[in-house]
């Protein structure tokens, strides 16, 4: 090959290479922007699909379920981090900080609705950090492979052009050059033959090397393709597989080559060729990749396909979506089912009730809502432990399920309560009697225990004119409460007890407020001083719980304690107040005052709760500045157990006070058997002190009796100086009441009430 030919060849190769690189860079940049936009759109679509369960979970304030949803979002392709800011909590998964390279930050509003009223409660903010590092890496690999192949193609094309150029340009130029130099255009065959042979040899070697390079690049490209985690298949115009990688065979569950087979006929439970045909058409029209919905494979996996359409073939990227699909299913199940019994939860039950009300307005038929509650469930839990209680709930759920028809619905709507929606109201009376008799007829075997279990039932008939689901369920609960007060193991219909419902309705309404108070951290406390009768110096404070209402005001204990005792919140509330008292004393470690904390009868009779309080006292250094107040009724309900539990608290250095003394049923014998340090005379006697000689004599007698037993005496509700002077004169030790100051403004709460609601329902851990 002549010098001119070589120069021409080199320049053409350089030009071809530069042009090929420039064209590829432009093409890859366009692909990158398209992939980035497609990635953001896909992530937005997936995140929006999870907004509904996230709405329910945030309303329930379940940190575990929220993390499960966010992990599902984080597992989406291209999501590097996710951050969620709710009303009172913040969740961050992944690396959401300034150093994280986010190609795009996607912000999504999650409206959190009140699952009872369906009103908007607040709007949570979800931010997703989306990175296209995976797309960039894929484009770089594609660039490297394609560049090598295109360079070889350009080289071959250049050789072809070179032959044409040599014939048309190079040889005439050489002839002209020889003439200028005085050389004869005729050269001897002996000198020309070696030159032509050398050129042919060079061309042959170049072609051979080009073939070797092409083979090497093909093997390299196939190796790269097989190393990808996602499956890649190339399809012809008839959807026949032309090429595949190793991941494609794994995802599709095939041990053999799929080349020559149709993708959808081989892998899907149901063929989706119609989607594929439409997707190819859209791909060609939009010049954008199209992403499929979830397809379920015969091997149990879930698949998503990203399709790219070329002129004569299609490229399908197969993504194994099994884990994300499973997580989504789990999240949806957790958001709609009770994790212990497997039945639907209250939110689903109210939705079904709403649907039933809508149907009744069309059909003009009657249905019935039934609330089934386990009698004495708290005592069973305390006596036999949480595991037995949980097993009992599961057995009750199974029995109730067996009693229902396919059209009826069952849900666990409270701690020991189940809601039943009976579509045909005519069948409800027989069903209720059947449930009652089933439990009365035989014992329930939980582990090694044979329990005599009974249930109470409250029923509320619903018609096309019934109110909203919340009110219907409340009225069924009222009927169940009446059944409880009548001794349990019976059915009560709301229609028969409407006249008794006003007091119960208030308690039921406070139950919902208590649930929200624990979830929304609405509990706080105030302090009322107790002074030394002789010096008027403050020596202690009584801690009183408070609930902050939506309007900013505070509810007093008298408003919600009955509901807390009835519906099982009182133990959690007691545990919370003990913890808050310990925290308060630690903050004022240099002070000498004591804090009096009230304990309910349910807490005093629960070994599990007493053990929890013991743990709190042992891990604190302020137990000797705590005084636990109990009522007479709570103390004598189970005298032996109460005495044992009070002794355990005293062993930690704490004091015991008997509250509201004089109004209960305590005898002198009972008083002698309880480890009491202080008696608190009920305020009803103090109020009548000035005009009732009997009350004055009674207070003097109680004080004298306490002195002989070495027990201190506190008089409550002291409002006038004359009362204080008289009480001081008869030897009362301490005074409490508005004369010395009302309860202080509620303190700011820096603890998590929901933690103590959970703690009160679990066994203590050492």
């Amino acid at each position: 090959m002549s010098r001119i030919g070589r120069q021409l060849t080199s320049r053409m190769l350089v030009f071809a290479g530069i042009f090929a690189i420039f064209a590829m860079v432009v093409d890859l940049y366009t692909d990158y922007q398209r992939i980035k936009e497609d990635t953001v759109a896909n992530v937005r679509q997936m995140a929006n699909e999870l907004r509904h369960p996230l709405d329910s979970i945030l309303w329930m304030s379940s940190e575990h379920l929220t993390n499960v949803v966010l992990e599902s979002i984080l597992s989406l392709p291209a999501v590097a981090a996710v951050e969620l800011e709710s009303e009172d909590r913040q969740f961050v998964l992944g690396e959401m900080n300034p150093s994280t390279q986010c190609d795009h930050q996607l912000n999504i509003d999650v409206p959190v609705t009140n699952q009872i009223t369906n009103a908007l409660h607040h709007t949570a903010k979800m931010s997703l950090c989306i990175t296209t590092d995976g797309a960039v890496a894929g484009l770089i690999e594609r660039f490297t492979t394609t560049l090598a192949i295109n360079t070889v193609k350009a080289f071959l094309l250049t050789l072809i052009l070179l032959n044409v150029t040599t014939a048309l340009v190079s040889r005439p130029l050489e002839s002209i050059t020889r003439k200028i130099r005085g050389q004869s255009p005729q050269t001897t065959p002996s000198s020309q033959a070696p030159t032509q042979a050398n050129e042919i040899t060079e061309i042959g070697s170049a072609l051979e090397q080009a073939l070797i390079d092409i083979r090497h690049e093909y093997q390299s490209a196939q190796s790269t393709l097989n190393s990808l985690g996602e499956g890649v298949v190339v399809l012809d115009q008839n959807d026949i597989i032309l090429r595949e990688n190793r991941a494609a065979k794994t995802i599709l569950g095939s041990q053999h080559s799929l080349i020559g087979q149709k993708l959808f006929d081989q892998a899907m439970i149901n063929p989706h060729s119609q989607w594929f045909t439409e997707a190819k058409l859209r791909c060609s029209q939009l010049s954008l990749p199209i992403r499929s919905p979830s397809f379920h494979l015969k091997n149990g996996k879930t698949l998503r396909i990203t399709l790219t359409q070329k002129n004569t073939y299609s490229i399908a990227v197969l993504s194994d979506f099994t884990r994300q699909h499973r997580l989504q299913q789990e999240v949806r199940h957790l958001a709609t089912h009770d994790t212990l019994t497997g039945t639907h939860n209250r939110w689903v039950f109210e939705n079904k009730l709403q649907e039933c009300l809508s149907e009744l307005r069309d059909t003009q038929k009657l249905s019935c809502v039934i609330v089934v509650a386990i009698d004495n469930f708290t005592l069973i839990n305390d006596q036999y432990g949480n595991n037995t209680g949980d097993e009992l709930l599961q057995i009750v759920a199974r029995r109730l399920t067996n009693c229902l028809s396919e059209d009826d619905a069952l849900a666990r709507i409270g701690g020991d309560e189940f809601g039943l929606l009976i579509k045909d109201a005519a069948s409800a009376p027989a069903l209720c009697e059947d449930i009652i008799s089933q439990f009365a007829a035989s014992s329930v075997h939980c582990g090694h225990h044979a329990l005599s279990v009974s249930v109470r039932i409250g029923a509320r008939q619903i018609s096309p004119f019934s109110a909203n689901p919340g009110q219907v369920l409340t009225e069924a609960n009222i009927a169940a409460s009446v059944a409880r007060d009548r001794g349990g193991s019976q059915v009560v219909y709301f229609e028969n007890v409407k006249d008794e419902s006003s007091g119960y309705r208030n308690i039921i309404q406070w139950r919902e407020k208590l649930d929200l108070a624990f979830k929304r951290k609405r509990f706080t406390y105030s302090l009322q001083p107790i002074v030394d009768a002789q010096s008027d110096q403050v020596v202690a404070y009584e801690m009183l719980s408070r609930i902050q209402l939506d309007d900013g005001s505070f509810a007093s204990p008298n408003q919600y304690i009955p509901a807390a005792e009835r519906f099982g919140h009182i133990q959690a509330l007691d545990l919370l107040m003990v913890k808050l008292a310990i925290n308060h004393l630690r903050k004022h470690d240099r002070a000498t005052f004591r804090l009096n904390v009230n304990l309910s009868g349910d807490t005093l009779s629960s070994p599990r709760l007493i053990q929890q309080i013991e743990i709190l006292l042992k891990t604190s250094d302020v137990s000797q500045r705590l005084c636990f107040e109990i009522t007479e009724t709570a103390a004598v309900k189970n005298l032996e157990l109460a005495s044992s539990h009070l002794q355990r608290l005293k062993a930690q250095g704490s004091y015991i006070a008997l509250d509201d003394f004089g109004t209960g049923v305590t005898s002198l014998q009972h008083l002698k058997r309880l480890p009491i340090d202080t008696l608190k005379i009920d305020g009803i006697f103090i109020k009548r002190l000035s005009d009732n000689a009997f009350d004055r004599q009674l207070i003097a007698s109680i004080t004298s009796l306490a002195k002989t037993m070495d027990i201190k005496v506190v008089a409550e509700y002291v409002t006038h100086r004359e009362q204080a002077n008289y009480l001081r004169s008869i030897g009362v030790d301490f005074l409490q009441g508005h004369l010395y100051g009302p309860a202080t403004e509620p303190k700011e709460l820096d603890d998590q009430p929901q933690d103590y609601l959970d703690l009160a329902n679990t066994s203590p851990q050492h």
Side-chain angles (χ1 to χ4, degrees):
M1 186 180 293
S2 66
R3 183 173 59 85
I4 296 176
R6 287 195 297 272
Q7 291 177 350
L8 188 59
T9 301
S10 63
R11 282 172 172 75
M12 292 183 69
L13 283 173
V14 170
F15 175 77
I18 293 174
F19 179 78
I21 292 173
F22 176 75
M24 287 185 60
V25 167
V26 172
D27 185 46
L28 290 175
Y29 178 76
T30 303
D31 285 351
Y32 169 74
Q33 292 296 329
R34 187 168 60 230
I35 291 173
K36 179 179 176 181
E37 293 172 2
D38 188 49
T39 299
V40 173
N42 290 334
V43 171
R44 182 186 292 276
Q45 177 187 352
M46 290 302 305
N48 283 332
E49 288 179 8
L50 294 171
R51 283 204 305 172
H52 174 67
L54 196 58
D55 169 16
S56 309
I57 290 167
L58 288 175
W59 170 254
M60 294 187 294
S61 292
S62 172
E63 184 171 346
H64 169 67
L65 296 183
T66 303
N67 279 320
V68 171
V69 176
L70 296 183
E71 286 176 2
S72 178
I73 295 175
L74 186 63
S75 67
L76 296 175
V79 177
V82 56
E83 179 180 9
L84 178 67
E85 290 187 11
S86 186
E87 182 186 39
D88 48 19
R89 293 192 181 184
Q90 183 179 32
F91 302 85
V92 179
L93 275 72
E95 302 253 345
M96 183 69 82
N97 53 59
S99 63
T100 304
Q101 296 297 321
C102 294
D103 297 297
H104 184 84
Q105 183 161 328
L106 181 61
N107 297 315
I108 298 176
D109 290 339
V110 181
V112 180
T113 55
N114 186 318
Q115 301 298 320
I116 298 172
T117 65
N118 289 327
L120 179 65
H121 186 268
H122 70 279
T123 300
K125 303 290 184 182
M126 182 164 62
S127 298
L128 281 71
C129 173
I130 299 176
T131 175
T132 53
D133 290 345
V136 172
L139 289 173
I140 291 173
E141 290 178 1
R142 176 182 161 193
F143 175 78
T144 304
T145 304
T146 309
L147 177 61
I149 294 173
N150 285 350
T151 301
V152 173
K153 290 180 179 178
F155 177 73
L156 293 176
L157 180 61
T158 301
L159 289 177
I160 296 172
L161 292 174
L162 179 61
N163 289 330
V164 176
T165 305
T166 301
L168 298 178
V169 179
S170 179
R171 287 177 181 171
L173 286 177
E174 289 178 2
S175 178
I176 293 171
T177 302
R178 282 195 297 269
K179 287 180 179 180
I180 293 173
R181 293 177 178 175
Q183 296 177 357
S184 172
Q186 301 296 329
T187 53
T188 60
S190 60
S191 63
Q192 187 175 7
T195 302
Q196 293 176 346
N198 290 338
E199 289 183 356
I200 293 172
T201 302
E202 289 180 10
I203 292 173
S205 299
L207 287 174
E208 184 179 0
Q209 184 61 43
L211 290 174
I212 293 173
D213 291 342
I214 290 172
R215 191 179 299 111
H216 174 74
E217 293 298 339
Y218 174 80
Q219 292 172 349
S220 176
Q222 188 65 36
S223 176
T224 302
L225 204 58
N226 284 329
S227 68
L228 296 178
E230 293 183 321
V232 178
V233 293
V234 180
L235 308 170
D236 67 9
Q237 293 177 334
N238 297 317
D239 305 339
I240 301 295
I241 298 175
L242 301 176
R243 290 286 183 270
E244 64 188 4
N245 69 344
R246 190 178 296 117
K249 291 194 292 184
T250 301
I251 292 172
L252 297 175
S254 175
Q255 297 180 351
H256 307 289
S257 175
L258 297 171
I259 294 175
Q261 301 179 19
K262 277 200 170 186
L263 171 64
F264 287 89
D265 292 346
Q266 295 298 320
M268 306 301 170
I269 293 177
N270 296 310
H272 293 273
S273 55
Q274 181 64 34
W275 173 88
F276 201 64
T277 302
E278 294 175 358
K280 287 195 296 183
L281 180 60
R282 289 178 58 202
C283 228
S284 299
Q285 293 172 343
L286 302 175
S287 298
L288 290 173
I290 301 298
R291 189 172 187 181
S292 74
S294 297
F295 295 148
H296 301 292
L297 309 185
K298 294 177 182 178
N299 60 9
K301 292 185 177 181
T302 302
L303 174 73
R304 282 199 170 180
I305 300 175
T306 302
L307 180 68
T308 303
Q309 177 67 31
K310 300 299 182 181
N311 292 331
T312 58
Y313 63 93
S314 305
I315 299 176
V317 178
L318 314 179
S319 302
D320 188 346
F321 203 69
T322 306
R323 181 173 178 271
Q324 291 92 326
H325 180 75
R326 186 178 66 252
L327 282 172
Q328 288 179 20
Q329 295 298 106
E330 289 177 0
V331 167
R332 291 190 179 99
H333 187 272
L334 290 171
T336 57
H337 288 75
D338 174 54
T339 55
L340 177 63
T341 62
T343 63
H344 286 300
N345 57 21
R346 186 186 184 98
W347 179 78
V348 173
F349 188 76
E350 290 186 349
N351 280 343
K352 287 182 176 292
L353 183 52
Q354 181 63 63
E355 293 172 2
C356 179
L357 288 172
S358 300
E359 291 174 4
L360 292 180
R361 294 186 181 103
D362 296 331
T363 61
Q364 299 298 307
K365 294 181 179 180
L366 298 178
S367 295
C368 188
V369 169
I370 297 172
V371 172
V372 179
I374 303 172
D375 292 327
N376 302 315
F377 181 72
T378 302
L379 295 178
I380 293 173
N381 239 358
D382 288 336
Q383 185 172 356
Y384 299 104
N386 281 349
N387 291 338
T388 299
D390 290 348
E391 187 176 353
L392 175 59
L393 288 170
Q394 293 168 342
I395 292 172
V396 171
R398 287 196 295 270
R399 287 193 179 186
L400 294 177
T401 300
N402 294 334
C403 293
L404 301 180
S405 68
E406 291 183 359
D407 294 333
D408 301 331
L410 170 67
R412 184 183 176 200
I413 59 175
D416 64 336
E417 295 178 349
F418 295 87
L420 284 71
L421 177 58
I422 311 302
K423 289 296 185 70
D424 182 11
S427 64
L431 174 63
C432 292
E433 294 299 333
D434 183 39
I435 293 172
I436 293 288
S437 60
Q438 270 196 40
F439 285 96
S442 61
S443 299
V444 176
H445 294 274
C446 297
H448 301 293
H449 308 291
L451 307 178
S452 297
V453 177
S454 63
V455 297
R456 59 187 181 275
I457 296 177
R460 171 67 164 97
Q461 193 176 75
I462 53 179
S463 70
F465 309 102
S466 295
N468 59 69
Q471 183 175 338
V472 170
L473 200 53
T474 295
E475 291 171 350
N477 263 311
I478 290 172
S481 297
V482 174
R484 169 183 172 173
D485 292 343
R486 291 180 179 178
S489 192
Q490 59 184 287
V491 183
V492 172
Y493 294 90
F494 176 78
E495 290 75 14
N496 299 333
V497 294
K498 284 184 178 179
D499 297 338
E500 306 175 37
S501 66
S502 58
Y504 289 104
R505 189 182 300 276
N506 183 59
I507 291 177
I508 297 289
Q509 290 172 347
W510 267 109
R511 174 189 184 175
E512 296 176 356
K513 294 178 182 178
L514 281 169
D515 287 336
L516 291 180
F518 276 104
K519 292 174 182 176
R520 307 298 180 197
K521 299 187 294 186
R522 295 291 180 85
F523 277 103
T524 180
Y525 62 93
S526 59
L527 303 174
Q528 185 171 33
I530 301 173
V531 303
D532 183 276
Q534 301 303 319
S535 64
D536 282 352
Q537 296 297 312
V538 176
V539 294
Y541 292 93
E542 181 177 357
M543 175 179 278
L544 303 169
S545 65
R546 294 285 188 268
I547 292 179
Q548 187 174 21
L549 304 176
D550 290 337
D551 61 2
S553 62
F554 292 90
S556 65
N558 292 336
Q559 294 176 270
Y560 56 81
I561 290 298
E565 291 177 335
R566 178 177 292 272
F567 297 112
H569 294 80
I570 192 65
Q571 294 181 348
L573 179 57
D574 286 350
L575 202 60
L576 172 62
M577 298 312 294
V578 171
K579 177 62 174 177
L580 293 177
I582 291 173
N583 288 347
H584 188 90
L585 290 173
R586 282 175 171 169
K587 291 178 181 177
H588 301 82
D589 56 342
R590 296 186 179 181
T592 58
F593 62 81
R594 293 178 186 167
L595 274 186
N596 288 25
V597 181
N598 292 278
L599 292 184
S600 66
D602 286 347
T603 298
L604 188 60
S605 62
S606 171
R608 178 169 48 84
L609 264 294
I610 293 300
Q611 188 172 359
Q612 294 284 5
I613 295 173
E614 274 188 305
I615 293 172
L616 291 176
L617 295 177
K618 287 178 180 178
T619 55
S620 75
D621 53 358
V622 295
S623 57
Q624 44 294 46
R625 293 174 59 196
L626 273 175
C627 178
F628 294 101
E629 294 190 11
I630 62 170
T631 63
E632 290 185 75
T633 305
V636 301
K637 185 184 295 184
N638 188 332
L639 192 62
E640 293 297 331
L641 187 62
S643 178
S644 171
H645 287 170
L646 293 176
Q647 289 286 6
R648 290 167 61 179
L649 296 180
K650 285 200 70 172
Q652 302 302 321
S654 300
Y655 296 85
I656 308 297
L658 189 62
D659 198 11
D660 300 335
F661 186 79
T663 60
V665 293
T666 304
S667 68
L668 296 180
Q669 184 65 24
H670 292 157
L671 190 60
K672 188 175 180 181
R673 293 173 61 183
L674 293 171
I676 303 299
D677 300 295
T678 304
L679 282 180
K680 299 188 75 173
I681 301 175
D682 191 82
I684 191 172
F685 303 113
I686 308 301
K687 291 177 182 178
R688 302 188 302 225
L689 192 61
S690 58
D691 57 358
N692 193 311
F694 176 79
D695 285 347
R696 288 197 297 273
Q697 185 58 46
L698 179 62
I699 293 171
S701 299
I702 291 174
T703 304
S704 177
L705 174 65
K707 294 291 184 181
T708 63
M709 301 177 69
D710 197 24
I711 296 175
K712 301 293 184 181
V713 178
V714 180
E716 298 180 296
Y717 290 90
V718 179
T719 57
H720 299 89
R721 180 60 61 181
E722 293 78 9
Q723 295 172 336
N725 291 336
Y726 174 77
L727 294 169
R728 188 181 298 112
S729 68
I730 63 174
V732 171
D733 300 285
F734 305 105
L735 306 174
Q736 180 180 355
H738 279 239
L739 178 62
Y740 300 99
T744 60
E745 287 297 316
K747 303 296 180 184
E748 201 173 301
L749 182 60
D750 57 358
D751 226 298
Q752 304 288 340
Q754 182 66 38
D755 296 341
Y756 296 94
L757 184 62
D758 297 336
L759 189 59
N761 292 303
T762 56
S763 299
Q765 302 294 325
H766 295 284

